[in-house]
Amino acid sequence: MINAKIIGTGAYVPEKVYDNAYMESIVDTNDEWITRRTGIKERHIAADDEYTTDLAIKAAQRAVENAGISAEELDLIILATVTPDYFTPACACIVQKVIGAVNAAAFDYNAACSAFVTGITIAKQFIVSGTYKNILVICADVLSKATDYKDRATCVLFGDAAGAAVVAASEEPGILTTDLGSDGDLSITCLAYKEDEEENAKRVSGEKNTIWMAGQAVMKFAVKAMADASNRVIEKAGLTWDDIDLVVPHQANYRIVDSAIKRMGVDKDKVYLTLHKYGNTSASCIPVALSEAEANGRIKKGDKIILVGFGGGLTWGAALLEW
């Protein structure tokens, strides 16, 4: 039986850093408030001439190298972003050309912060069906270019990053079970062509192409969605929380993650966090943390890992992996 397994990971964060002291200098906030409410100390920010594909290319190259394959062996590249360089061409197509993946099809998709779990679920279907053997899943965003830096409730949250993983056909166990869901809702918005005076009025800056979020509603949704989805993938696999070695959640903010893991009943020592260093980097949160956990020796062969996230849409997703 063909299984789908992550065989390589990679990540990239920009060099520039906005720490909490800097945030204090541009908006009415302070380090104590940010730390207590979010757990975030720093966020990495793309340079003015650095865009989603620039980050994605670096993460992609590292994931392919880590997987021990060549770019020519890739059959498909899928890339999740809410901050594309262009509406067309797809960012995935630009990455495909730059890294030399001459045999790969490519397309973008959007599931916001849930997108890595969505991406590996898509990859699994192509692999198990026998359509493709090697698929590169990339999640990349430059949220700083869509952040309303006049809105102290949201501007302290977001950073920029890219994370990637090669999902390949394998005889070994890999992606065991996944659970995806959505609930069309306008609790998190960033407008494109649509003109909406009500949406514009929600934003401190009045700029429609910045991110707006209903914080309390999102938190209530996120805690339940993450816990419930995680429980479902464990139940589908016939396992219990005692079988889980590591949880890699979407790094939204500490209060959401803490409440979710309490609802799951999982030990905090099993949860891998990076939000203090990078903030909320949207879809790339999970693959960046996963890549870092692997590099730091927090993951060993045979470990069972939960990946779980939520995002705009509203969307959610959880996956159970055997490493």
Side-chain angles (χ1 to χ4, degrees):
M1 181 176 177
I2 300 174
N3 297 314
K5 188 177 185 69
I6 293 176
I7 64 167
T9 61
Y12 173 76
V13 295
E15 293 182 7
K16 183 166 66 175
V17 172
Y18 284 177
D19 61 13
N20 286 351
Y22 176 78
M23 302 309 296
E24 289 180 5
S25 74
I26 65 169
V27 72
D28 182 18
T29 191
N30 59 72
D31 175 67
E32 189 276 332
W33 186 89
I34 298 170
T35 303
R36 175 169 47 84
R37 294 182 66 87
T38 73
I40 299 168
K41 286 291 189 180
E42 297 180 339
R43 57 240 14 99
H44 287 248
I45 303 297
D48 291 344
D49 61 349
E50 193 173 31
Y51 299 95
T52 292
T53 53
D54 297 311
L55 277 60
I57 288 163
K58 291 182 173 68
Q61 290 170 330
R62 292 172 182 178
V64 171
E65 181 181 0
N66 184 246
I69 65 171
S70 67
E72 291 86 352
E73 294 176 83
L74 293 172
D75 303 305
L76 176 66
I77 298 172
I78 60 175
L79 189 152
T81 186
V82 296
T83 58
D85 297 18
Y86 309 93
F87 286 125
T88 189
C91 291
C93 293
I94 297 172
V95 174
Q96 180 260 348
K97 184 173 182 62
V98 172
I99 70 173
V102 295
N103 297 305
F107 63 84
D108 286 358
Y109 67 103
N110 176 0
C113 305
S114 306
F116 186 67
V117 174
T118 303
I120 64 172
T121 302
I122 293 169
K124 179 180 178 179
Q125 309 316 305
F126 278 120
I127 289 170
V128 171
S129 70
T131 305
Y132 296 129
K133 292 183 178 179
N134 295 306
I135 299 175
L136 178 61
V137 179
I138 310 168
C139 296
D141 276 301
V142 284
L143 292 184
S144 63
K145 299 184 190 303
T147 295
D148 186 347
Y149 283 102
K150 294 182 180 180
D151 182 359
R152 72 172 194 158
T154 60
C155 72
V156 300
L157 299 174
F158 301 125
D160 304 331
V166 176
V167 183
S170 175
E171 294 181 356
E172 298 180 352
I175 302 168
L176 302 180
T177 59
T178 65
D179 181 88
L180 303 177
S182 64
D183 179 9
D185 187 278
L186 297 179
S187 295
I188 306 173
T189 58
C190 184
L191 278 70
Y193 290 124
K194 183 174 182 177
E195 297 296 337
D196 188 325
E197 292 184 5
E198 184 177 342
E199 281 288 331
N200 292 352
K202 294 175 182 177
R203 289 150 170 80
V204 179
S205 66
E207 297 180 8
K208 71 173 187 177
N209 60 346
T210 58
I211 299 166
W212 174 84
M213 181 168 59
Q216 289 301 315
V218 170
M219 179 171 179
K220 183 178 180 181
F221 159 81
V223 170
K224 184 177 188 302
M226 291 173 70
D228 290 355
S230 298
N231 286 327
R232 283 192 292 270
V233 293
I234 291 174
E235 184 178 349
K236 286 179 189 177
L239 302 177
T240 70
W241 277 106
D242 290 337
D243 299 307
I244 304 304
D245 299 290
L246 191 69
V247 178
V248 183
H250 171 46
Q251 315 282 316
N253 75 54
Y254 181 75
R255 291 191 303 157
I256 289 176
V257 173
D258 186 54
S259 296
I261 62 177
K262 285 178 180 175
R263 189 180 180 106
M264 296 172 195
V266 65
D267 192 320
K268 288 183 180 181
D269 291 340
K270 291 185 176 182
V271 181
Y272 197 84
L273 296 178
T274 59
L275 62 86
H276 57 292
K277 297 187 291 185
Y278 307 130
N280 180 349
T281 62
S282 189
S284 68
C285 280
I286 291 174
V288 168
L290 186 66
S291 180
E292 185 176 292
E294 181 185 27
N296 291 343
R298 284 292 304 273
I299 303 173
K300 63 182 183 297
K301 186 174 177 58
D303 278 357
K304 292 183 173 59
I305 303 166
I306 291 286
L307 311 179
V308 60
F310 70 94
L314 294 167
T315 62
W316 67 84
L320 172 59
L321 316 179
E322 183 170 327
W323 204 252

